[in-house]
Structures are given as C-alpha cells and as structure tokens.
Amino acid sequence: MIDIHSHILPKMDDGPELWEETIKLCRMASKDGTKAIVATPHIMDGLYNNTRSEIIEGVKELRKRLEGVVDLKVFHGADIHAVPDLVERIKKGEAPSINDSGYLLLELPSHILPMEIYNLIFELKLNKLTPIITHVERSGWIHDGLGAIFKFIELGALIQITAMSITGGFGRSVRSISKRLLKKGLVHIVASDCHSLRFRPPGMSEARETISFLLGKDFAHKLVRENPLCVVEGRKIESFS
Ligand SMILES: [Fe+2]
C-alpha cells in the first residue's frame, strides 16, 4: 500500500512531537503493509506556516533515520488549506505538490463550503495541478448532498477519504457517508491521515479489507495502491464516475 496523507514529521503540526514517535509511526505503517508514505504536514496560514523547503529537509532527515531500521519509502508533500493565491504559492515553491508530481492535497473548510472553491480548482487545473480533496466524508457540508463532490470531480479534482472513516473510527454517520461515496464511485484514494500512535494511527489494511468485502479486491487495490502510486509518480488517474 502507498499512503499519500500522513502527519509524521515531528514538531511541524499537530502530529508527533519527537523523532522517536515518528519512527514508531513509520514502523507501525510498515508492519501494516504500507511500503511508501508521503509526509504531508499542514500548511495553514497563522497556525502551521510550513514551507516546501522545511518539509523536504524533514523528509531527508527521516530517510536517514529510517535507513536500516524501518523498510518504508518516504516522499514529501503537504496538507494544504485552501487559499485564493494557492497556484502562485506552488509556482513560487512555497507549498509543495506530492513528490513535486503536480498532485496536491487540498483541505477545504470543514463547515461551510465557499463558492470560490470551484474557481480555485479550475485555476489549479489550468495550471496543470490536480487537487486531491481530503477527507470530504468528515465535512459538515457533505450533509447538504453530494452535489459538491460531483462538481469537484467534473472539474478534474480527485477525492480522498480517510481509512479510519471507513472502519468506523469517526463514528457511524461518517462511516455510512464513506460507504456511500465508495459505492457511488466517488472516491479515488484512501489514505491514513495519521497523526499519532494512539488516536490517529497509521495503517490502511483494515479499510482495504472492508472495501474488498464491499466492492471487490481489485477496486480496493486501486484505492490503496494503484492510484496513490500514480500520484507519487505523476501519472494520470482515471475517474470511475
Ligand atoms: Fe491531514
């Protein structure tokens, strides 16, 4: 499996505080069957002012520390909160796409969906950048219907949901929305979005098994391995809807 969304670098956001915990998170991911992980610290103005170069430095350090200790490939990325000048920031090299592939994690406001989001996605696509909208299943606005999700996909964005949402870690309602999205073919990627060993641990195997049971092994494989690999390598992903 390839996990494209994780908060594993220490002291960068609400992930781990110490390198020891980072290594434990990586070991846990690896034991669960994850072969590669993208470190995606939050980038959110005023709260997490992480830059592309700081994240790359963190990934370099992590690679060194994992050598001969844990068998896990690490790439750089960021969990980028939506801002109007995002294209410019990426072009300037302030915010990174995943492994510089042109695919980027885009976090939307969780309660109300601003209409400008559609323009932002359009602008990103015009600039050959593909946003992967993160954990839509945990957003308040999803209860207004799936219209927004269809529109995101129509505009060329991809949809990522969280492994723990599928297995019930965020409660019944999030689990049922996740299953609905999966069954309708509105999910392209599953990721762990891990933050900690205890409450938000890494690992996607349980979610993979649930998806296999619901929709078949091949489909599950697509969401946890094939599509994430396309993201890391900058190759095209086909929509299913
Ligand atoms: Fe995240």
Side-chain angles (χ1 to χ4, degrees):
M1 294 180 287
I2 296 171
D3 188 357
I4 63 153
H5 187 167
S6 76
H7 301 265
I8 50 171
L9 294 178
K11 287 192 172 61
M12 296 203 89
D13 56 12
D14 53 348
E17 274 295 308
L18 304 167
W19 278 108
E20 285 70 25
E21 195 183 350
T22 296
I23 304 302
K24 282 182 190 167
L25 285 166
C26 291
R27 189 170 286 130
M28 202 183 225
S30 169
K31 272 191 179 164
D32 190 64
T34 299
K35 301 286 178 205
I37 196 163
V38 185
T40 56
H42 289 286
I43 293 183
M44 189 187 269
D45 285 349
L47 196 57
Y48 305 115
N49 299 310
N50 294 309
T51 62
R52 177 176 176 274
S53 55
E54 286 166 350
I55 297 166
I56 288 176
E57 276 313 302
V59 167
K60 272 188 194 161
E61 174 71 28
L62 178 54
R63 283 178 179 160
K64 259 192 235 160
R65 288 176 184 253
L66 289 178
E67 227 179 283
V69 179
V70 181
D71 184 21
L72 183 70
K73 282 189 181 139
V74 189
F75 299 100
H76 69 268
D79 188 2
I80 310 171
H81 196 76
V83 282
D85 61 341
L86 184 53
V87 170
E88 215 179 301
R89 292 192 197 197
I90 293 171
K91 280 188 171 172
K92 279 188 196 158
E94 291 169 11
S97 65
I98 291 172
N99 196 29
D100 297 330
S101 65
Y103 285 101
L104 57 113
L105 293 186
L106 183 65
E107 187 187 47
L108 304 185
S110 55
H111 297 293
I112 294 164
L113 197 60
M115 286 299 117
E116 292 79 11
I117 288 301
Y118 302 111
N119 287 334
L120 178 63
I121 295 173
F122 185 71
E123 204 196 334
L124 285 162
K125 289 298 291 183
L126 272 184
N127 285 276
K128 297 192 168 37
L129 296 163
T130 298
I132 302 170
I133 317 285
T134 59
H135 47 68
V136 293
E137 78 285 3
R138 290 190 270 138
S139 310
W141 47 261
I142 197 120
H143 300 287
D144 301 334
L146 302 182
I149 307 287
F150 281 105
K151 209 162 169 187
F152 294 156
I153 296 174
E154 212 177 286
L155 286 167
L158 300 173
I159 305 296
Q160 176 253 304
I161 65 173
T162 309
M164 249 175 79
S165 298
I166 301 164
T167 51
F170 291 100
R172 271 194 206 172
S173 135
V174 171
R175 183 174 61 186
S176 94
I177 288 173
S178 302
K179 287 185 179 174
R180 220 172 121 210
L181 290 167
L182 284 165
K183 285 179 182 167
K184 283 185 178 287
L186 298 173
V187 180
H188 304 93
I189 290 167
V190 170
S192 78
D193 194 5
C194 64
H195 282 69
S196 64
L197 291 164
R198 219 172 139 203
F199 299 109
R200 302 280 302 275
M204 305 191 289
S205 63
E206 208 184 322
R208 181 191 57 197
E209 296 320 310
T210 307
I211 303 168
S212 291
F213 177 74
L214 288 174
L215 299 153
K217 223 175 173 178
D218 289 351
F219 187 71
H221 188 71
K222 223 175 191 108
L223 302 195
V224 299
R225 162 86 197 178
E226 280 177 35
N227 286 350
L229 185 62
C230 287
V231 166
V232 171
E233 294 181 348
R235 287 186 285 118
K236 199 174 181 319
I237 291 178
E238 299 302 329
S239 252
F240 327 119
S241 53

